[in-house]
Amino acid sequence: MSELADRLRALPSFPEDMPGLDPDSVPEDPAELFLSWLEDAIASGARQPHALTFQTLADGAPVGRTLILKNLDEHGLHVSTHRTSRKGEQLADDPRAAMTFFWRESGRQVQVVGEVVALDEATSQADWASRPSYDGSPNPDWQVYALQPAWYEFTQSRMDRKHVRVGYRRAGGGWMHERVTTPGG
């Protein structure tokens, strides 16, 4: 191994005291579990607990960047950007996207996959007006998007690296969930 590989392997991974995840007692609605984990992250004082990696597709290749979750409601998980930005153009070309939340203090990660829809102009302009840089002028290019989940995956890390993962898949008007297993944990 290289010196860098040795140094990286020696770095601490997760805190010793982490919450658990019992696949047999998760709620039927993944949004309920997501909001519970988000509230735990907020209550813990985690920095930017609403930050996420937002992945879109450009010419079939994934492109990721860090955004802030703006809301979660019946439309989905909200993010915002200019329609003319790279991510806005990528969403216009292909509405499939993914979000990854990671709260290192608790060893928790949530991945959400689905299609993104543009929300109405009133929602977009209200979001624009709430920005710290708002100068009183509307921004006709500003857009709030909602990712409509088709898949959630919750991962609770463990010190022994036998992480517990639960996946939810949209099934008709509801959700089906199961423990996600891969070789080696």
Side-chain angles (χ1 to χ4, degrees):
M1 274 198 232
S2 72
E3 179 185 337
L4 177 60
D6 291 340
R7 287 178 47 221
L8 293 174
R9 185 166 293 284
L11 292 173
S13 55
F14 297 106
E16 289 185 30
D17 185 28
M18 291 185 291
L21 175 60
D22 179 2
D24 296 326
S25 65
V26 296
E28 293 301 314
D29 184 349
E32 185 180 330
L33 183 55
F34 173 79
L35 288 171
S36 172
W37 281 19
L38 178 60
E39 289 295 339
D40 287 350
I42 292 168
S44 77
R47 290 189 59 141
Q48 294 191 312
H50 56 330
L52 61 113
T53 302
F54 187 68
Q55 300 98 21
T56 55
L57 295 170
D59 299 322
V63 179
R65 76 282 286 157
T66 303
L67 298 179
I68 298 295
L69 179 69
K70 300 295 187 95
N71 198 7
L72 168 58
D73 64 14
E74 68 277 4
H75 301 291
L77 293 94
H78 299 201
V79 294
S80 57
T81 190
H82 290 90
R83 286 183 197 95
T84 56
S85 69
R86 281 186 352 164
K87 61 187 158 295
E89 291 174 355
Q90 290 162 358
L91 290 171
D93 289 342
D94 189 333
R96 295 176 296 165
M99 296 177 169
T100 304
F101 297 84
F102 179 55
W103 301 292
R104 73 178 36 85
E105 297 84 359
S106 61
R108 288 177 166 171
Q109 176 176 284
V110 179
Q111 296 179 351
V112 188
V113 178
E115 290 200 5
V116 174
V117 297
L119 298 183
D120 61 86
E121 187 66 18
T123 301
S124 296
Q125 290 309 308
D127 182 71
W128 176 253
S130 72
R131 293 175 62 81
S133 59
Y134 179 65
D135 65 3
S137 303
N139 183 337
D141 288 331
W142 194 249
Q143 183 63 59
V144 174
Y145 295 94
L147 184 137
Q148 299 178 324
W151 170 258
Y152 279 87
E153 184 172 303
F154 295 85
T155 302
Q156 176 61 64
S157 299
R158 294 175 27 152
M159 285 293 291
D160 63 6
R161 304 263 178 154
K162 293 180 180 177
H163 310 316
V164 178
R165 296 168 46 206
V166 174
Y168 286 80
R169 184 172 311 285
R170 179 138 340 250
W175 292 92
M176 293 181 59
H177 65 274
E178 63 187 2
R179 184 174 185 142
V180 177
T181 57
T182 56

